[in-house]
Amino acid sequence: MFTRTELEVKSLRALRDLCLIQYGIQAIGNPADKASYINALLTFPVVACKQVSENKGLKSPMLSQVEALEATLEAMGTPTPEQSALLKVTMEGRKLEYPARYSQEKLFGLYRVKWHLDTALEILGML
């Protein structure tokens, strides 16, 4: 992350911007003091890792919730050869005329949902 030396050479404004704008963290102590921002920048990684181990904030879903995602993915089915072809031309940027474009966009949206669910389940399986 950051070293104390790297941070000490920065101005108060640069430290404030780094904390508040870049990372969205508050100074620890007096916001008019450089050390308050330096301490915040040096400690936030440790605090964040501790929060993960304490199951605070962002956390893994329960097994039943992952199984519900798997069931949703299974219920969505797989595209037919014609739907696969339409998805390919859609990804090439080709559009149907209305009103068929509504179905094309719906199919593409469903494909994207299925792809994201599959990716999410793959990532959750690695955790």
Side-chain angles (χ1 to χ4, degrees), residues 100-119:
R101 188 180 298 181
Y102 295 119
S103 294
Q104 180 186 19
E105 290 172 355
K106 180 178 180 178
L107 176 65
F108 189 61
L110 288 170
Y111 169 78
R112 290 178 53 219
V113 167
K114 185 171 174 66
W115 185 83
H116 285 293
L117 278 174
D118 191 47
T119 302

Side-chain angles (χ1 to χ4, degrees), residues 19-65:
C19 279
L20 300 176
I21 296 170
Q22 184 77 24
Y23 298 111
I25 57 176
Q26 297 294 321
I28 298 173
N30 181 359
D33 184 17
K34 282 176 63 169
S36 298
Y37 292 105
I38 291 171
N39 289 336
L41 289 163
L42 291 175
T43 60
F44 82 83
V46 174
V47 172
C49 290
K50 184 177 181 211
Q51 290 167 343
V52 170
S53 67
E54 293 172 349
N55 222 19
K56 287 184 182 175
L58 190 62
K59 50 192 165 271
S60 296
M62 296 184 306
L63 179 60
S64 62
Q65 294 164 326

